[in-house]
């Protein structure tokens, strides 16, 4: 996950639980639901960023394997 993507998620990671707790303390169900929604959204973004990182790693591994294969054929 890049730093540009991580910073907003870190804020939302803290903001969601705070809103949820504030909603529970004050009895404001709408605020609590907003907090829960923020938490779910942050979890989804984190999962998408992790998937993007894994896909990048897989791409690098494929390129590396292709290069090794190419080098193997070049030796003959």
């Amino acid at each position: 996950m890049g730093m540009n993507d991580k910073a907003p998620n870190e804020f939302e990671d803290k903001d969601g639980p705070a809103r949820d707790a504030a909603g529970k303390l004050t009895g404001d169900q709408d605020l609590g639901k907003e907090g829960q929604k923020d938490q779910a959204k942050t979890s989804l973004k984190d999962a998408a960023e992790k998937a993007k990182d894994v896909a990048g790693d897989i791409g690098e591994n494929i390129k590396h394997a292709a290069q090794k294969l190419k080098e193997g054929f070049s030796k003959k």
Side-chain angles (χ1 to χ4, degrees):
M1 181 182 312
M3 284 305 290
N4 291 340
D5 299 322
K6 203 175 229 183
N9 286 357
E10 289 294 323
F11 173 74
E12 286 179 5
D13 220 15
K14 307 293 186 253
D15 188 45
R19 284 184 187 209
D20 188 21
K24 287 178 182 173
L25 284 173
T26 61
D28 186 344
Q29 290 182 345
D30 289 337
L31 185 59
K33 287 179 183 179
E34 283 180 33
Q36 291 172 354
K37 183 177 80 173
D38 288 346
Q39 290 177 68
K41 194 164 62 171
T42 299
S43 294
L44 215 84
K45 284 181 182 179
D46 289 344
E49 285 299 321
K50 286 177 185 174
K52 187 168 75 172
D53 291 345
V54 168
D57 292 345
I58 290 170
E60 287 298 315
N61 289 341
I62 290 171
K63 281 198 286 191
H64 183 70
Q67 183 62 36
K68 287 227 177 234
L69 187 61
K70 181 179 174 184
E71 289 170 4
F73 282 126
S74 298
K75 289 181 182 178
K76 292 182 179 181

